[in-house]
């Protein structure tokens, strides 16, 4: 039988999302111990109305933590309905889950101590590189740069901690996440994000495979956001000049997003 | 959505290799930690039974402090907390030589050493005081009495509880995944994330642990029977 | 060197959310540990008694149960209940339910062993004396064996409760916001691991050490 | 034998393949005091433990107060209320006071009220000469006192038969008499008693009959005067020479 | 007393606040056999355990084979090789065979070679009349045999003095004599012995002197004939009446 998340939501009135606790500004717990972020806003303001329209009732959003190694099992075990964090849309993952429209676009880079000899992916041979277990970056390093000593950590803070202490020489993750980490760290000046994107990381929201109705609702919500401009308002709130992490959207990215939204 | 089993994921691709590496790492970290734990356990366990207060206090402090804080916290402590205190050169060397492995090994060994010492202490305490008296009454020194009489008897008495504790150590080595040690549970989850086949991966990991534990328990049961003191431990198969 | 400001600033979150579980997140070390101890003990009594049952149909499953859970890491059991059981039952279990279930069924195996050993530690002569005055086996168990067995068991039981209390820190790996997870969350933004982990180590120590002091006192009172 | 309180009829017992009782025939009449002696491992304890069903036997029959233990129907707990037993190691319940030890079975098994049971218990404590120890825990009593409490505990069920398995051999020598004195009183009051003991002085003074066992068999049965003066079997001679000479 | 093997000079001992030995004066000459008796808790074990330093004492002095135990310099292990001790509970080492039990101290303390030690051990096993048990583990011996091994083990160090603390009271009655016989042999060979025992037959036959203790004091000292025929103190009379009558 095909999964039917909309029927379930209709019954329970709850949409459970799996998201991150330590990936600013996408999803993290802020100083007031509230669980906030760009990805969460997208769900609250764009996806939720669309799903409500689909199921014909008001619904509530519940959040659970999901990390790269746990998010797919959580989804397939019905513990969550939608992964809305920092998950990269890859062909391989598409074999087991469905992705929504891309809602963010970035690429893998390195976070290093200021002045580190590592300037990009070509300098990592023999170096100790931290990554997150189960992430696309870990997989690429493992497969394409086997000379690097890869250390995989279950979550972002552990990896960053290892970097701070010098246990590793660099921490690789999606550039925007590294920038977020640096900006939120106690001494942002000590760190820099280096290197060209050595991978493409389009973020999508993941859901159970083959759930056509639900996917349509999620996509409709996001597409609406792009069309109405609401998406760009939210983007501005987090990444605009006065946002949590100023990160102006490049025209290429904007074009990419709009192109993939089907416009 | 009904679950589609696909057991072949366990041996196709890299999964099998990962699991084997996981077993090797689990055995290595547990084995080394076990040696450390037994050494510390004997020292601290014996220290807490000698008639000299400072030594007893030191033993007690070690045991209480280490066994009363979760292993997970100790993992973070040895991995993140300790290296900065070491000289720069040692740090560099460690970071280049699997610091996470050594930190995990230390955390496991020191934590379980505290628990092991409790096992050893109760073993020693269960030997009647008169055995010690009989030993020194023949002219043995206190040290000889411990080395030749008390400890050999205690070691035999504690084989069953020590086996339990050793199995706990083996299983607790899984906590080292939090500091990036690629042991068996880590590799199980690796298989799971790469294949998205949670049940298969977890089943494989669980079975491997069971086989490891059951074989160790079996070996220790043989050891126990081999070294049993006639008449003292009446335990069958 | 030590920046205790981070503890002060986040004290409320660490204690109210992390320790007591009163806050915006599913969590709380005590909220998990206390029911887990009580329920694990109750289930353990049944398992311990079942292992001693004369009928193999009762004792064998209990033995298998105990041997199975003593052969598997707790982390594995948590993953099983987190991923697999919902998949089989087709209904999601909240983190609290997952953690509680995992701890109860895992620790019950250990409690069961303690209870079995406690019962077997009562000298045979006690059973014979009770039998000889005409008590039935149920009465012998209730009035003579269990009261003594429970006294003999208290030190081991408290030790196991301490183990369980500390093991609840593993619930953090499924996103249950207990003390350990709360410290991790604060650490995510403050990057003060030494202070934070030291602080929670002290909190754990205070609880577990007072439990073991209680056990020691009890042991001494029995010995006299 | 008609009217016997205890009657063994060809009782045999094995532990696994090891035969520990062989064809025991023995009858004890009401009011009789029988002392059982013999070397260690000869089966004395096993014999006496058969009487109240603590040990099952495989062949023969044993009739106790009219009930045949070999027949299936007999309700053991009921029988045991009529047969008291005292052990070498006292076996008092350490978590109960002396009074609680004595009143447990009367209240739980015979259904007496707590006050009634307590009244009987206090009378019994006087009979065993420790009226002032009712509130003590066993750990705070000497061995001789503990054993006397154990006797009181058994008497509280108003048994028709009392079994004693080496009641004095765990005691310090000075305490042996306090227990033997209580047992002598009991015998004088006409209690039917089976006593395993090495106290030959007691056997001589109190027993109506001495039963000597060896290797699971009753080798000799005689009046004490006859037994001590001229044991018939060599085994008994040897045994007596060993235990009487020191 | 000059030439005494053991000499207590006003020895007093406390456990915490509780005085268990009060002003003990007692001298034992080489070759003498002294039996110590008295009620339970009177301090007999404590007294004898002072002699080889298992218990420290707080006042007075105790001179053993010329060494003053009150002086700081004395090396206990060395002294103990010259004073053998046998305990009530045998205390054989359960993980060693009989032979290993006996040769342990000669090899480890006196530095004998294994073969020499074994030769002596076999001679001793003959002396205690169990030459064929050398390879057994203690658990497979009867109590009487275990206690004889314990005696052989103590003798293996060629002590000048032997201490016995109730060596037969954990034994089945038939085994008591086998142990007492070995002790009698030892006494005849001229060993200096201090024996805590309630075996009054042994005391009568073998002891040169009986010491009666009560409440931590030596109440009476006499030749056995005199002691048993007419004890002087009431305490001793009472004690003897209790333990001799059963
Ligand atoms: N539970 C048991 N299992 C196997 N054998 C037993 C058991 N109990 C007793 N025996 C054996 O049965 C035989 C008789 O034992 P029993 O205890 O009746 O002897 P006893 O005459 O009372 O000796 P003692 O004077 O030492 O008490 C002995 O050989 C003993 O080893
Ligand atoms: N380790 C100890 N701590 C405190 N008090 C003790 C200790 N050992 C013995 N005593 C006390 O010292 C006193 C003398 O004890 P001791 O064992 O010497 O008596 P005993 O004459 O050998 O008695 P028994 O015939 O019962 O062996 C007793 O009151 C006893 O309770
Ligand atoms: Mg017996
Ligand atoms: Mg004594």
């Amino acid at each position: 039988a095909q999964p039917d998340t909309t029927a379930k939501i209709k019954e329970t009135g709850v949409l459970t999302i799996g998201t991150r606790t330590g990936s600013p500004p996408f999803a993290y717990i802020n100083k007031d111990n509230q669980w906030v972020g760009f990805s969460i806003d997208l769900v609250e303001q764009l996806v939720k109305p669309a799903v409500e329209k689909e199921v014909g009732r008001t619904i509530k959003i519940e959040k659970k933590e999901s990390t790269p190694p746990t998010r797919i099992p959580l989804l397939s075990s019905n513990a969550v309905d939608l992964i809305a964090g920092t998950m990269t849309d890859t062909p391989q993952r598409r074999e087991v889950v469905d992705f929504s429209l891309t809602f963010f676009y970035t690429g893998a880079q390195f976070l290093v101590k200021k002045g580190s000899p590592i300037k990009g992916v070509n300098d990592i041979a023999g170096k100790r590189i931290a990554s997150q277990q189960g992430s696309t970056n870990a997989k690429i390093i493992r497969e394409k740069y086997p000379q690097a000593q890869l250390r995989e950590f279950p979550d972002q803070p552990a990896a960053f901690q290892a970097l701070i202490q010098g246990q590793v020489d660099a921490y690789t993750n999606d550039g925007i996440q590294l920038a977020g980490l640096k900006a939120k760290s106690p001494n942002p000046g000590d760190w820099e994000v280096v290197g060209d994107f050595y991978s493409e990381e389009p973020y999508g929201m993941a859901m159970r495979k083959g759930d056509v109705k639900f996917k349509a609702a999620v996509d409709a919500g996001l597409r609406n956001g792009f069309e109405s401009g609401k998406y760009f308002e939210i983007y501005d709130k987090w990444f605009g000049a006065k946002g949590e992490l100023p990160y102006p959207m490049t025209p290429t990215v904007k074009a990419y997003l709009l192109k993939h939204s089907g416009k | 959505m009904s679950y589609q089993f696909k057991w072949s994921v366990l041996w196709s691709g890299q999964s099998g290799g990962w699991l084997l590496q996981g077993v090797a790492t689990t055995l290595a970290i547990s084995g080394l930690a076990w040696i450390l734990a037994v050494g510390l356990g004997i020292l601290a366990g014996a220290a807490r039974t000698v008639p000299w207060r400072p030594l007893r206090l030191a033993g007690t402090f070690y045991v209480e402090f280490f066994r009363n804080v979760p292993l997970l916290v100790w993992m973070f402590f040895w991995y993140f907390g300790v290296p900065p205190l070491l000289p720069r050169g040692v740090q560099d060397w460690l970071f280049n030589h699997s610091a996470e492995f050594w930190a995990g090994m230390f955390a496991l060994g020191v934590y379980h050493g505290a628990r092991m010492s409790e096992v050893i202490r109760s073993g020693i305490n269960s030997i009647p005081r008169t055995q010690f008296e009989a030993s020194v009454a023949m002219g043995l020194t206190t040290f000889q009495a411990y080395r030749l009489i008390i400890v050999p008897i205690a070691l035999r008495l504690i084989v069953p509880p020590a086996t339990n504790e050793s199995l706990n150590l083996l299983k607790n080595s899984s906590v080292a995944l939090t500091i990036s040690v690629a042991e068996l549970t880590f590799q199980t989850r690796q298989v799971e994330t790469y294949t998205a086949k949670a049940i298969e991966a977890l089943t494989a990991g669980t079975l491997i642990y069971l086989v490891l534990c059951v074989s160790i328990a079996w070996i220790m049961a043989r050891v126990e029977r081999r070294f049993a003191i006639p008449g003292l431990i009446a335990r069958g198969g | 060197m030590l920046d205790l400001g981070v503890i002060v600033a986040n004290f409320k979150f660490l204690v109210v959310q992390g320790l007591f579980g009163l806050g915006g997140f599913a969590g709380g070390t005590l909220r998990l540990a206390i029911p887990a101890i009580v329920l694990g003990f109750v289930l353990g009594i049944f398992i311990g008694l079942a292992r001693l049952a004369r009928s193999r149909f009762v004792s064998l499953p209990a033995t298998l149960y105990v041997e199975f859970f003593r052969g598997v890491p707790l982390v594995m059991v948590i993953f099983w209940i987190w991923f697999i059981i919902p998949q089989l039952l087709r209904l999601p279990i909240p983190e609290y339910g997952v953690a509680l279930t995992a701890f109860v069924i895992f620790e019950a195996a250990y409690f069961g062993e303690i209870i079995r050993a406690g019962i077997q530690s009562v000298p045979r002569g006690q059973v014979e004396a009770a039998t000889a005055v005409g008590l039935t086996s149920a009465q012998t168990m209730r009035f003579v064996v269990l009261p003594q067995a429970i006294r003999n068991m208290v030190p081991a039981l408290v030790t196991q409760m301490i183990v369980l209390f500390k093991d609840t820190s593993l619930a953090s790996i499924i996103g249950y916001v207990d003390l350990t997870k709360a410290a991790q969350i604060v650490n995510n933004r403050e990057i003060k691991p030494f202070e934070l982990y030291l602080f929670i180590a002290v909190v754990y120590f205070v609880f577990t050490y007072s439990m073991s002091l209680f056990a020691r006192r009890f042991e001494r009172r029995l010995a006299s | 034998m008609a009217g016997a309180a205890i009657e063994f009829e060809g009782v045999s017992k094995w532990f696994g393949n090891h035969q520990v009782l062989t064809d025991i025939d023995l009858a004890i009449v009401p009011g009789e005091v029988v002392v059982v002696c013999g070397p260690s491992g000869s089966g004395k304890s096993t014999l006496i433990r058969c009487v109240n069903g603590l040990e099952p036997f495989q062949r023969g029959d044993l009739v106790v107060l009219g009930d045949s233990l070999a027949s299936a129907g007999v309700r053991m707990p009921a029988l045991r209320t009529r047969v008291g037993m005292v052990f070498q190691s006292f076996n008092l319940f350490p978590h109960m006071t002396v009074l609680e030890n004595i009143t447990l079975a009367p209240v739980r098994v015979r259904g007496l009220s707590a006050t009634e049971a307590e009244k009987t218990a206090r009378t019994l404590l006087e009979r065993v000469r420790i009226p002032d120890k009712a509130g003590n825990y066993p750990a705070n009593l000497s061995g001789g006192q503990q054993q006397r409490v154990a006797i009181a505990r058994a008497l509280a069920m108003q048994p028709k038969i009392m079994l004693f398995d080496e009641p004095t051999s765990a005691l310090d020598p000075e305490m042996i008499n306090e227990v033997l004195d209580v047992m002598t009183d009991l015998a004088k009051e006409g209690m039917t008693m089976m006593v395993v003991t090495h106290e030959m002085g007691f056997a001589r003074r109190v027993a109506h009959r001495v039963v000597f066992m060896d290797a699971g068999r009753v080798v000799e049965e005689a009046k004490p005067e006859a037994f001590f003066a001229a044991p018939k079997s060599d085994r008994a001679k040897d045994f007596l020479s060993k235990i009487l000479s020191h």
Side-chain angles (χ1 to χ4, degrees), chain A, chain B, chain C, chain D:
Chain A
Q2 291 298 315
D4 189 353
T5 307
T6 44
K8 185 183 135 201
I9 294 172
K10 190 169 187 163
E11 205 178 293
T12 59
V14 177
L15 166 60
T16 310
I17 65 168
T19 187
R20 312 294 304 266
T21 57
S23 297
F26 290 90
Y28 66 105
I29 292 166
N30 69 13
K31 285 229 186 289
D32 303 322
N33 296 311
Q34 286 157 335
W35 206 342
V36 297
F38 175 66
S39 304
I40 293 173
D41 275 359
L42 291 182
V43 173
E44 296 269 3
Q45 297 180 31
L46 304 182
V47 174
K48 185 177 165 219
V51 175
E52 280 176 338
K53 195 165 147 220
E54 171 68 28
V55 304
R57 60 175 288 184
T58 57
I59 61 169
K60 226 170 64 205
I61 304 293
E62 273 187 8
K63 299 181 279 264
K64 280 184 194 253
E65 186 183 23
S66 67
T67 56
T70 66
R71 54 200 170 191
I72 290 179
L74 282 178
L75 203 55
S76 57
S77 72
N78 283 332
V80 302
D81 303 318
L82 184 68
I83 299 292
T86 56
M87 189 168 175
T88 305
D89 179 351
T90 67
Q92 203 163 15
R93 287 180 180 154
R94 277 176 183 245
E95 288 174 12
V96 280
V97 296
D98 282 343
F99 281 96
S100 70
L101 297 177
T102 298
F103 68 84
F104 199 88
Y105 178 83
T106 180
Q109 289 176 290
F110 296 93
L111 184 64
V112 294
K113 205 172 202 110
K114 234 195 185 97
S116 158
I118 297 176
K119 299 287 177 219
V121 76
N122 296 321
D123 307 325
I124 63 169
K127 294 284 196 286
R128 303 177 301 257
I129 307 296
S131 69
Q132 278 193 69
Q133 199 195 349
S135 68
T136 43
N137 319 323
K139 192 162 184 243
I140 292 169
I141 299 275
R142 183 198 291 281
E143 286 167 2
K144 298 220 180 104
Y145 304 92
Q147 320 89 317
Q149 302 180 40
L150 188 66
R151 303 280 149 82
E152 296 184 64
F153 291 87
D155 59 13
Q156 178 130 291
F160 187 39
Q161 193 64 44
L163 176 67
I164 290 176
Q165 300 214 319
Q167 303 255 19
V168 294
D169 303 311
Y171 167 38
T172 184
N173 201 336
D174 303 342
I176 184 66
Q177 291 205 47
L178 296 178
L181 205 56
K182 166 170 142 74
K184 290 278 169 199
S185 78
N187 301 308
D190 292 353
W191 309 102
E192 57 185 338
V193 178
V194 297
D196 295 330
F197 289 176
Y198 65 86
S199 69
E200 286 196 348
E201 307 283 346
Y203 290 176
M205 298 184 188
M207 55 219 119
R208 281 176 284 275
K209 196 162 176 56
D211 192 346
V212 185
K213 260 201 265 174
F214 184 55
K215 176 169 161 51
V218 173
D219 282 346
L222 287 173
R223 189 174 301 113
N224 246 327
F226 291 126
E227 282 167 4
S228 67
K230 185 109 192 168
Y231 170 89
F232 298 100
E233 277 171 35
I234 300 172
Y235 188 96
D236 215 43
K237 171 180 161 194
W238 295 100
F239 300 102
K242 291 198 204 91
E244 296 280 321
L245 177 66
Y247 193 79
M249 192 180 285
T250 57
T252 36
V253 170
K254 187 161 187 170
Y256 181 95
L257 289 176
L258 292 177
K259 182 177 124 225
H260 285 259
S261 73
K263 260 196 127 173
Chain B
M1 130 174 136
S2 76
Y3 190 87
Q4 301 290 318
F5 283 96
K6 196 173 155 207
W7 293 98
S8 63
V9 298
L10 294 178
W11 45 87
S12 59
Q14 298 155 291
S15 306
W18 285 341
L19 289 175
L20 281 181
Q21 278 170 23
V23 171
T25 307
T26 289
L27 288 178
I29 198 170
S30 307
L32 289 173
W34 187 84
I35 293 170
L36 180 62
V38 169
L40 286 171
I42 289 175
L43 282 181
R48 296 182 74 186
T49 65
V50 299
W52 192 53
R53 205 174 142 78
L55 206 54
R56 278 208 308 274
L57 281 182
T60 305
F61 173 79
Y62 160 67
V63 169
E64 294 301 346
F65 188 57
F66 281 89
R67 76 185 181 129
N68 277 315
V69 173
L71 177 59
L72 183 60
V73 176
W74 286 127
M75 289 278 173
F76 291 136
F77 176 81
W78 289 104
Y79 186 58
F80 293 129
V82 170
L85 309 177
L86 301 174
R88 191 70 240 179
V90 179
Q91 278 189 44
D92 283 340
W93 186 88
L94 264 182
F95 296 160
N96 274 319
H97 293 84
S98 319
E100 71 283 353
F101 180 88
W102 298 112
M105 192 278 286
F106 240 79
L108 259 183
V110 175
Y111 175 82
H112 278 279
R115 295 174 49 161
M116 203 63 100
S117 88
E118 285 295 273
V119 169
I120 290 167
R121 184 171 68 111
S122 62
I124 290 178
N125 282 344
S126 70
I127 298 172
R129 172 108 202 120
T130 51
Q131 284 287 343
F132 176 76
E133 292 180 344
S135 322
V136 297
M138 301 190 314
L140 297 184
T141 61
T142 300
F143 180 74
Q144 281 178 317
Y146 268 86
R147 189 166 63 84
L148 299 170
I149 309 295
I150 305 297
V151 171
I153 298 178
L155 283 182
R156 288 164 163 91
L157 289 178
I158 64 174
V159 169
T163 302
N164 267 338
E165 201 45 48
S166 309
L167 294 181
N168 283 338
L169 186 155
L170 178 83
K171 292 184 291 165
N172 276 343
S173 66
S174 59
V175 176
L177 73 90
T178 53
I179 55 168
S180 86
V181 176
E183 47 68 70
L184 181 54
T185 308
F186 179 100
Q187 298 290 15
T188 302
R189 301 182 64 189
Q190 179 104 308
V191 171
E192 184 187 301
T193 42
Y194 273 75
T195 63
K197 287 290 171 198
I199 295 189
E200 290 84 339
L202 281 178
T203 305
T206 305
L207 285 181
I208 295 174
Y209 275 110
L210 266 181
V211 168
L212 289 179
C213 287
V214 168
S215 351
I216 291 175
W218 185 80
I219 293 170
M220 293 309 281
R222 310 218 32 150
V223 169
E224 189 190 339
R225 235 167 302 153
R226 170 87 176 64
F227 289 101
I229 300 170
L232 246 199
I233 307 168
R235 282 181 95 235
Chain C
M1 224 342 274
L2 268 186
D3 174 14
L4 293 177
V6 65
I7 306 296
V8 176
N10 295 287
F11 188 80
K12 190 166 154 256
F13 181 69
L14 288 170
V15 170
V16 174
Q17 170 66 57
L19 191 58
F20 295 106
L22 305 170
F25 303 87
T29 289
L30 292 179
R31 204 168 70 96
L32 177 60
I34 292 170
I37 285 173
V38 173
L39 296 175
F41 178 58
V42 171
L43 184 56
I45 291 180
F46 286 105
I47 289 166
L49 289 176
R51 280 206 73 177
L52 290 171
R54 218 162 278 141
S55 157
R56 284 183 67 79
F57 291 104
V58 181
S59 66
L60 191 67
T63 304
L64 288 178
Y65 179 96
V66 168
E67 295 304 332
F68 179 83
F69 283 105
R70 296 203 315 163
V72 178
L74 177 54
V75 174
M76 276 285 178
V77 177
I78 294 174
F79 288 146
W80 270 101
I81 294 177
W82 197 28
F83 296 148
I84 311 286
I85 304 301
Q87 206 139 335
L88 299 179
L89 295 183
R90 306 275 201 90
L91 60 103
I93 305 180
E95 292 89 338
Y96 183 70
V98 171
L100 189 58
T101 314
F103 286 116
V104 168
I105 62 175
F106 184 80
E107 303 288 343
Y110 288 82
F111 280 124
E113 278 303 274
I114 292 171
I115 283 154
R116 179 177 71 97
I119 290 174
Q120 287 180 331
S121 74
V122 176
R124 265 192 73 75
Q126 290 289 315
V127 178
E128 293 184 345
T131 311
V133 290
L135 297 184
T136 63
S137 37
Q139 285 175 321
T140 300
M141 188 53 94
R142 181 165 150 221
F143 298 117
V144 176
V145 177
L146 278 183
Q148 295 182 54
I150 286 173
R151 284 176 199 216
N152 296 348
M153 284 172 334
V154 163
L157 280 179
V158 175
T159 307
Q160 191 56 36
M161 288 174 185
I162 291 172
V163 169
L164 199 161
F165 187 84
K166 288 181 297 167
D167 280 349
T168 58
S169 64
L170 293 178
S172 63
I173 62 180
I174 59 167
Y176 181 81
V177 187
D178 72 331
L179 194 54
T180 306
K181 183 73 191 178
Q184 284 177 336
I185 288 173
V186 174
N187 188 38
N188 285 357
R189 50 169 195 259
E190 310 278 359
I191 316 286
K192 290 263 184 269
F194 192 78
E195 289 82 351
L196 285 163
Y197 291 129
L198 188 70
F199 173 71
I200 63 166
V202 169
V203 175
Y204 278 111
F205 184 80
V206 165
F207 277 91
T208 54
Y209 190 64
S210 29
M211 285 160 86
S212 70
L213 278 187
F214 165 79
R216 199 102 40 79
R217 181 108 25 100
F218 198 90
E219 222 173 328
R220 216 168 298 152
R221 213 176 66 209
L222 284 183
S224 63
Chain D
M1 197 179 353
I6 305 172
E7 184 159 11
F8 289 84
E9 296 168 353
V11 168
S12 293
K13 172 172 177 70
W14 286 258
F15 280 117
N17 290 325
H18 174 48
Q19 182 158 16
V20 291
L21 291 181
T22 309
D23 273 334
I24 304 285
D25 284 303
L26 187 66
I28 295 165
V29 297
E32 195 181 17
V33 176
V34 171
V35 160
V36 181
C37 63
S40 179
S42 56
K44 308 180 294 295
S45 298
T46 309
L47 181 82
I48 201 174
R49 289 156 59 87
C50 284
V51 175
N52 71 345
L54 281 183
E55 299 285 357
F57 51 88
Q58 284 82 33
R59 236 176 39 203
D61 195 7
L62 174 51
V63 181
V64 179
L65 298 170
D67 287 336
S68 152
L69 301 197
S71 69
V74 63
R75 254 204 82 232
M76 277 299 164
L79 174 75
R80 287 179 184 134
T81 61
R82 298 188 292 153
V83 182
M85 178 147 191
V86 175
F87 301 84
Q88 172 177 358
S89 48
F90 327 144
N91 290 340
L92 294 185
F93 307 132
H95 59 301
M96 297 179 175
T97 61
V98 164
L99 203 61
E100 288 164 353
N101 263 280
I102 301 177
T103 56
L104 176 71
V107 171
R108 300 291 171 179
V109 180
R110 293 182 47 214
L112 291 193
S113 74
T115 40
E116 267 178 292
E118 190 178 324
K119 229 181 83 198
T120 328
R122 292 198 184 273
T123 320
L124 285 169
L125 283 175
E126 271 178 41
R127 214 161 126 194
V128 300
R129 307 173 195 180
I130 34 174
D132 53 331
K133 301 290 184 190
N136 285 37
Y137 281 91
N140 301 325
L141 301 181
S142 76
Q145 294 169 335
Q146 288 191 50
Q147 193 61 301
R148 285 181 282 159
V149 173
I151 294 175
R153 180 176 67 179
L155 291 176
M157 296 300 282
Q158 308 190 335
K160 299 271 168 293
I161 299 174
M162 284 287 286
L163 310 174
F164 294 83
D165 190 1
E166 306 204 24
T168 59
S169 54
L171 296 177
D172 281 327
E174 328 116 66
M175 298 169 182
I176 291 177
N177 272 340
E178 22 184 83
V179 172
L180 291 180
D181 288 350
V182 168
M183 290 169 60
T184 308
D185 290 354
L186 255 185
K188 287 202 183 124
E189 290 159 19
M191 176 65 77
T192 312
M193 290 164 62
M194 249 181 112
V195 184
V196 175
T197 186
H198 294 107
E199 294 297 333
M200 292 303 146
F202 174 84
R204 230 184 273 251
R205 282 195 320 276
V206 181
H208 300 116
R209 196 154 34 125
V210 174
V211 170
F212 175 74
M213 289 189 72
D214 188 40
R217 292 175 190 271
V218 171
V219 175
E220 202 163 333
E221 267 187 81
K223 289 223 169 338
E225 309 85 70
F227 180 71
F228 291 112
K232 272 173 279 174
S233 63
D234 290 344
R235 310 285 294 145
K237 266 179 214 149
D238 181 51
F239 176 76
L240 283 178
S241 80
K242 274 186 176 159
I243 78 162
L244 289 178
S245 70
H246 34 93

